[in-house]
């Protein structure tokens, strides 16, 4: 809000929010992780910024397998689990391309939050206390101290939390520029500390890191234009396929959240996730059949064998194309729009809550555990249950596949909605369900966000849904052969819509699922 009031645009505000979250929301906000950003400027310019983490130069395909060939906890906990962070570079590229205010003006508010502190509410006390506990359980007492009172006791509601080491790091980034994170003394210190603690970062890995601007995936869906993220995010491909399948199956003729509608949606999702898990990876390393995967005709063929009355066993489903040449759910999403109509959809993550549970000594930087998003052992499930193939195997400098799906929806060339969510593999299906609710059923964004969510990712062969699923829907799905597993909640979507009649903004935070606050400017 402060940045917008000072004359900054939506991208300026998004950069400032990104740095602020590194201070106030350490379980997912970060400068030690990465993410994806989709931008639509008021003049019609579209951009997709890839700041996903990369495998360090010393990474090897089987680096997380024990003598028996089974994955170890090193892929999740400790410095060896971390890819090279992209957040600072990604926010910098967005600013370079579209920002209007000076770089330092966008980072210094986060410096003040870290240096002077901010008051913790109940939700954040629970989050920080949980993070410190996880760090101590992992044996990283020094890291845990960053998330506790100076006397070592847990924080309480109303405490002011300061992070002096992180403040120094952020101020250096503000005053010396974003490359200070990747080159020079700070980068050297981070690489040395990670290596000394058992990781494999080298200073040259940080120096080589660059955020990339990629062509967004853009397609039409029932009179709307969808702008979303390409690989190494799988989100855009899966979203395209789900929506193409919805149109082919005429899901919009089925009542919203009826047994018929959900059954067909889930069956389509099984097939799209088989493609996701077996065919997608970093496009700089593997050959991706993008033209076919994004083809409406291809998706129509994929869903042609769906039985409208019975679930298809996942073991009978595979990718629809032969693979090419071999080669928390704690994420957070925010949406920003300014009065000129510039829009940003940004999703960023450390992977699991508090990432690798390890803070680089002397810097305050909490690092990610994104290496588990590779196929650590192709054909074996990762922490999210995703069974992935050779396309996503570990290679030096490669970016691991992601489900993050920052998305912007246009209608007749005008901004209609900004959508996104955290949630691991459920991110894309959350976004798809919100888009379908708004486009297919004319629900307002608050109604769309509030609707009960469901998810199927091919393997394991079951529907994940929220505990509040209506009994008749659950019974109907089980009767058609679906196995159901319930969760308290799924995703924390934070979205904005532009009312098609009034052209006014409606900001919707997923507060029923612990989403953040939304404000209208």
């Amino acid at each position: 809000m402060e940045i917008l009031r000072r004359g900054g645009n939506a991208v300026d505000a998004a950069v400032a929010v990104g740095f602020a979250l590194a201070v106030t929301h350490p379980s997912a906000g970060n400068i030690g992780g990465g993410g994806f950003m989709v931008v639509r400027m008021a003049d019609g310019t579209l951009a997709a910024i890839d700041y996903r983490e990369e495998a360090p130069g010393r990474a090897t395909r089987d680096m997380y397998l024990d003598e028996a060939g089974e994955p170890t906890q090193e892929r999740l906990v400790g410095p060896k689990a971390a890819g090279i962070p992209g957040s600072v570079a990604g926010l910098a590229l967005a600013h370079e391309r579209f920002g209007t205010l000076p770089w330092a003006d966008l980072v210094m508010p986060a410096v003040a939050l870290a240096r002077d502190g901010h008051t913790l509410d109940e939700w954040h006390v629970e989050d920080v206390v949980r993070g410190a506990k996880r760090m101590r359980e992992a044996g990283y007492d020094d890291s845990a101290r960053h998330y506790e009172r100076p006397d070592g006791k847990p924080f309480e509601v109303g405490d002011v939390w300061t992070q002096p080491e992180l403040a120094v790091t952020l101020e250096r980034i503000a005053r010396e520029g974003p490359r200070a994170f990747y080159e020079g003394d700070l980068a050297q210190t981070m690489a040395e500390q990670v290596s000394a603690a058992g990781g494999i970062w080298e200073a040259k890995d940080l120096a080589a890191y660059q955020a990339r601007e990629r062509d967004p995936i853009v397609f039409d869906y029932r009179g709307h234009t969808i702008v979303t993220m390409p690989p190494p995010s799988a989100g855009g491909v899966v979203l395209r396929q789900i929506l193409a399948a919805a149109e082919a199956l005429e899901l919009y003729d089925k009542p919203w959240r009826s047994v018929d509608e959900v059954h067909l949606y889930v069956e389509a999702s099984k097939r799209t996730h088989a493609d996701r898990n077996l065919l997608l990876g970093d496009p700089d390393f593997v050959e991706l059949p993008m033209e076919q995967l994004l083809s409406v005709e291809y998706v129509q063929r994929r869903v042609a064998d769906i039985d409208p009355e019975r679930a298809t066993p996942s073991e009978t489903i595979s990718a629809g194309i032969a693979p090419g040449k071999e080669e928390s759910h704690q994420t957070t999403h925010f949406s920003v729009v300014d009065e000129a109509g510039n829009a940003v959809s940004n999703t960023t993550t450390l992977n699991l809550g508090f990432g690798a549970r390890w803070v680089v000594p002397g810097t305050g930087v909490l690092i990610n555990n994104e290496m588990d998003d590779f196929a650590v052992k192709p054909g074996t499930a990762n922490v999210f249950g995703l069974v992935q193939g050779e396309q996503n195997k570990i290679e030096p400098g490669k970016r691991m596949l992601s489900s993050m799906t920052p998305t912007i929806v246009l209608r007749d060339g005008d901004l209609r909605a900004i959508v996104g969510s955290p949630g691991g593999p459920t991110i894309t299906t959350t976004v798809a369900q919100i888009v379908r609710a708004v486009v297919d059923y004319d629900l307002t964004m608050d109604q769309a966000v509030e609707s009960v969510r469901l998810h199927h990712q091919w393997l394991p062969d079951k529907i994940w849904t929220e505990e509040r699923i209506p009994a008749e829907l659950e019974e109907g799905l089980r009767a058609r052969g679906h196995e159901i597993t319930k969760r308290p909640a799924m995703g924390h979507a934070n979205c904005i819509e532009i009312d098609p009649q009034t052209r006014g903004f409606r900001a919707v935070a997923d507060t029923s699922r612990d989403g953040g606050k939304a404000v209208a400017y």
Side-chain angles (χ1 to χ4, degrees):
M1 290 293 290
E2 176 187 337
I3 296 301
L4 292 176
R5 290 189 179 115
R6 287 164 55 184
N9 65 15
V11 174
D12 292 319
V15 171
V17 168
F19 280 107
L21 286 173
V23 181
T24 62
H25 189 41
S27 60
N30 66 80
I31 57 171
F36 300 106
M37 179 186 292
V38 172
V39 179
R40 187 265 186 181
M41 299 302 286
D43 65 3
T45 301
L46 303 175
I49 295 176
D50 164 14
Y51 60 100
R52 184 66 159 153
E53 300 90 337
E54 287 183 350
R58 289 197 285 151
T60 60
R61 174 195 164 112
D62 299 329
M63 62 186 286
Y64 298 111
L65 303 183
D66 61 18
E67 293 180 357
E70 295 303 316
T72 69
Q73 281 297 101
E74 284 186 322
R75 78 193 198 280
L76 292 170
V77 180
K80 195 175 179 180
I84 302 302
S87 292
V88 174
L91 296 174
L93 179 56
H95 176 258
E96 177 187 335
R97 287 280 284 114
F98 304 110
T100 60
L101 295 183
W103 170 257
D105 289 0
L106 308 180
V107 185
M108 287 305 293
V111 174
L113 283 168
R115 182 187 59 225
D116 304 332
H118 63 285
T119 303
L120 294 171
D121 59 17
E122 182 178 1
W123 192 92
H124 285 92
V125 165
E126 292 176 359
D127 198 39
V128 171
V129 168
R130 181 167 52 246
K133 180 182 179 182
R134 289 177 180 174
M135 292 172 192
R136 290 199 180 279
E137 289 173 347
Y140 299 127
D141 291 351
D142 288 343
S143 294
R145 293 188 184 100
H146 289 267
Y147 305 97
E148 298 170 334
R149 288 173 162 181
D151 61 5
K153 295 181 179 179
F155 280 113
E156 296 181 357
V157 176
D159 284 345
V160 175
W161 179 31
T162 61
Q163 301 171 74
E165 290 184 356
L166 182 57
V168 171
T169 296
L170 288 168
E171 186 164 12
R172 189 161 187 177
I173 293 168
R175 300 197 183 284
E176 298 179 20
R179 291 311 298 176
F181 186 81
Y182 297 96
E183 300 169 0
D185 294 344
L186 175 58
Q188 185 68 40
T189 295
M190 288 195 295
E192 290 174 354
Q193 293 284 6
V194 168
S195 181
I200 58 172
W201 287 12
E202 294 181 313
K204 63 183 180 181
D205 297 326
L206 288 158
Y209 186 89
Q210 297 287 334
R212 292 185 172 89
E213 184 173 347
R214 300 189 186 273
D215 292 331
I217 291 175
V218 182
F219 61 93
D220 293 329
Y221 178 64
R222 305 198 68 223
H224 294 70
T225 300
I226 311 298
V227 185
T228 189
M229 198 70 207
S233 169
V237 173
V238 174
L239 179 62
R240 166 55 163 162
Q241 290 196 340
I242 287 176
L243 294 181
E247 197 159 18
L249 296 168
E250 299 181 345
L251 291 194
Y252 44 82
D253 284 340
K254 311 293 184 184
W256 177 242
R257 303 290 84 160
S258 66
V259 176
D260 286 342
E261 182 259 332
V262 172
H263 167 72
L264 292 174
Y265 167 80
V266 165
E267 288 297 297
S269 188
K270 288 181 185 180
R271 290 154 175 81
T272 62
H273 279 81
D275 282 355
R276 176 221 187 272
N277 296 350
L278 298 176
L279 298 176
L280 296 181
D282 185 340
D284 296 333
F285 280 74
V286 294
E287 182 180 321
L288 304 181
M290 291 293 289
E291 184 174 351
Q292 290 170 276
L293 289 173
L294 299 178
S295 163
V296 171
E297 291 75 15
Y298 169 75
V299 175
Q300 289 171 339
R301 292 195 299 273
R302 288 286 280 154
V303 301
D305 65 345
I306 290 177
D307 183 338
E309 300 297 332
R310 194 70 189 166
T312 307
S314 286
E315 63 264 23
T316 68
I317 299 171
S318 187
I321 305 168
K325 296 178 180 177
E326 193 174 297
E327 55 82 73
S328 52
H329 307 280
Q330 289 300 317
T331 297
T332 191
H333 176 87
F334 57 88
S335 301
V336 185
V337 64
D338 61 32
E339 59 186 355
N342 301 304
V344 174
S345 183
N346 189 86
T347 314
T348 183
T349 189
L350 290 165
N351 197 25
L352 298 185
F354 294 89
R357 308 184 194 179
W358 191 79
V359 176
V360 181
T363 70
V365 177
L366 176 63
I367 60 173
N368 66 84
N369 62 347
E370 289 290 359
M371 293 295 284
D372 186 59
D373 271 359
F374 282 116
V376 169
K377 181 181 180 181
T380 300
N382 70 1
V383 71
F384 293 113
L386 287 170
V387 178
Q388 303 176 100
E390 290 285 338
Q391 298 280 79
N392 193 36
K393 70 182 181 182
I394 300 173
E395 295 181 80
K398 189 178 184 180
R399 301 188 181 198
M400 59 290 291
L401 197 60
S402 170
S403 295
M404 289 182 278
T405 317
T407 297
I408 292 174
V409 181
L410 308 174
R411 185 171 186 177
D412 299 326
D414 294 326
L415 191 62
R416 177 69 181 87
I418 309 166
V419 183
S421 176
T426 71
I427 291 174
T428 312
T429 49
T430 293
V431 170
Q433 288 167 89
I434 291 173
V435 170
R436 288 193 56 240
V438 170
V439 173
D440 293 347
Y441 296 92
D442 291 323
L443 299 187
T444 59
M445 186 60 75
D446 52 334
Q447 293 171 325
V449 168
E450 177 61 20
S451 295
V452 67
R453 294 176 191 154
L454 306 100
H455 172 76
H456 202 301
Q457 60 187 41
W458 177 50
L459 294 173
D461 190 359
K462 60 182 176 181
I463 298 173
W464 280 286
T465 188
E466 297 176 312
E467 291 175 349
R468 59 196 182 92
I469 181 176
E472 61 272 20
L473 176 56
E474 178 182 353
E475 292 167 5
L477 292 171
R478 291 189 188 278
R480 297 194 187 188
H482 295 286
E483 179 184 342
I484 294 177
T485 298
K486 298 179 185 178
R487 295 178 177 175
M490 191 177 295
H492 301 154
N494 293 292
C495 308
I496 299 171
E497 74 169 326
I498 292 76
D499 188 284
Q501 277 75 47
T502 68
R503 303 307 301 162
F505 298 149
R506 181 182 289 115
V508 180
D510 207 344
T511 52
S512 65
R513 304 177 179 89
D514 287 331
K517 295 179 179 178
V519 293
Y521 175 52

